[in-house]
Amino acid sequence: GAGVSQSPRYKVAKRGQDVALRCDPISGHVSLFWYQQALGQGPEFLTYFQNEAQLDKSGLPSDRFFAERPEGSVSTLKIQRTQQEDSAVYLCASSLARAGELFFGEGSRLTVL
Amino acid sequence: QKEVEQDPGPLSVPEGAIVSLNCTYSNSAFQYFMWYRQYSRKGPELLMYTYSSGNKEDGRFTAQVDKSSKYISLFIRDSQPSDSATYLCVVGGGSSNTGKLIFGQGTTLQVKP
């Protein structure tokens, strides 16, 4: 596609439910990032993939968060046993190169009740 | 201390005004500096990108980096209502150099017609 595509755009979950957020990067982009953006804050780094390899997951807030990119294209961010503090916009970005411009999707807005 | 500090605003100016947005960063290892713009309910998009100290101009926008004082600025000339958005100061290329970008909190700008 022309840009980074994320789904769902909006997700409401009850506390304790598991959620999965999908990211379709720009075709051919090697690098893929996940960021978390709380209301009124800048995006906070979660994790980074180069092709299918997860090279940095230092930003994942707990072991309830898990990300994968098994074939080096589509990525999924999974949050298990969601908590209210997980409510945020989850942004996916892709890049041609490791230090290149990041192209962001419109985000998945998660609300945990 | 956050790695990138940015005044969140909000900043409100009349159309045609010159806008000055600023931020500071803490780690002298950062090698590249960016400004991203984020419209409401959209993903951030790259506005300006520079590797070195000095000025970089692109139309009505000028980015300024002073590595000695770890200070980054963005100037907008002849501001337009369409410039109303959140401006995110971003740094990258630290010691880990995975391509991870560190975002400031963002400054919300409103340009009134």
Side-chain angles (χ1 to χ4, degrees):
Chain A
V4 177
S5 178
Q6 292 189 247
S7 61
R9 287 292 316 279
Y10 303 92
K11 175 70 178 178
V12 178
K14 291 183 179 177
R15 190 172 55 182
Q17 277 185 330
D18 297 348
V19 299
L21 308 176
R22 176 189 168 105
C23 173
D24 243 300
I26 295 172
S27 178
H29 278 197
V30 168
S31 297
L32 185 145
F33 297 80
W34 283 98
Y35 281 81
Q36 180 191 58
Q37 187 171 27
L39 190 63
Q41 302 295 317
E44 296 275 350
F45 171 80
L46 293 177
T47 187
Y48 160 65
F49 291 86
Q50 186 169 311
N51 296 306
E52 69 279 1
Q54 188 174 21
L55 298 186
D56 187 344
K57 55 181 180 179
S58 62
L60 296 177
S62 77
D63 59 8
R64 296 187 295 104
F65 286 71
F66 172 76
E68 61 183 3
R69 194 187 185 196
E71 297 178 357
S73 55
V74 170
S75 177
T76 303
L77 176 67
K78 297 179 180 177
I79 309 173
Q80 296 178 322
R81 305 181 303 283
T82 52
Q83 303 295 313
Q84 283 188 320
E85 62 262 28
D86 299 335
S87 295
V89 176
Y90 291 86
L91 293 165
C92 176
S94 70
S95 175
L96 261 177
R98 185 187 61 188
E101 174 184 356
L102 293 191
F103 293 85
F104 282 87
E106 295 197 322
S108 291
R109 183 177 296 269
L110 173 65
T111 303
V112 181
L113 302 178
Chain B
Q1 182 189 10
K2 287 192 171 184
E3 291 185 279
V4 181
E5 298 273 4
Q6 191 177 359
D7 184 342
L11 185 61
S12 182
V13 302
E15 183 175 354
I18 296 174
V19 176
S20 172
L21 305 172
N22 309 292
C23 78
T24 58
Y25 62 95
S26 58
N27 188 345
S28 57
F30 291 126
Q31 299 163 8
Y32 43 91
F33 311 92
M34 286 146 280
W35 286 93
Y36 274 73
R37 179 175 60 194
Q38 187 174 26
Y39 290 110
S40 180
R41 298 188 178 269
K42 299 290 187 182
E45 56 182 2
L46 181 66
L47 194 57
M48 301 284 282
Y49 192 144
T50 181
Y51 285 98
S52 57
S53 281
N55 293 352
K56 182 175 182 180
E57 192 172 315
D58 184 1
R60 296 183 295 109
F61 299 88
T62 299
Q64 194 172 76
V65 176
D66 182 343
K67 286 188 175 182
S68 62
S69 57
K70 298 197 274 292
Y71 195 83
I72 307 167
S73 300
L74 178 71
F75 300 96
I76 307 174
R77 290 184 300 280
D78 187 25
S79 55
Q80 302 295 308
S82 58
D83 296 330
S84 298
T86 296
Y87 290 81
L88 298 156
C89 172
V90 188
V91 299
S95 54
S96 65
N97 204 17
T98 61
K100 175 172 76 174
L101 300 182
I102 311 295
F103 286 76
Q105 183 178 357
T107 299
T108 299
L109 171 67
Q110 184 181 25
V111 181
K112 295 183 176 179

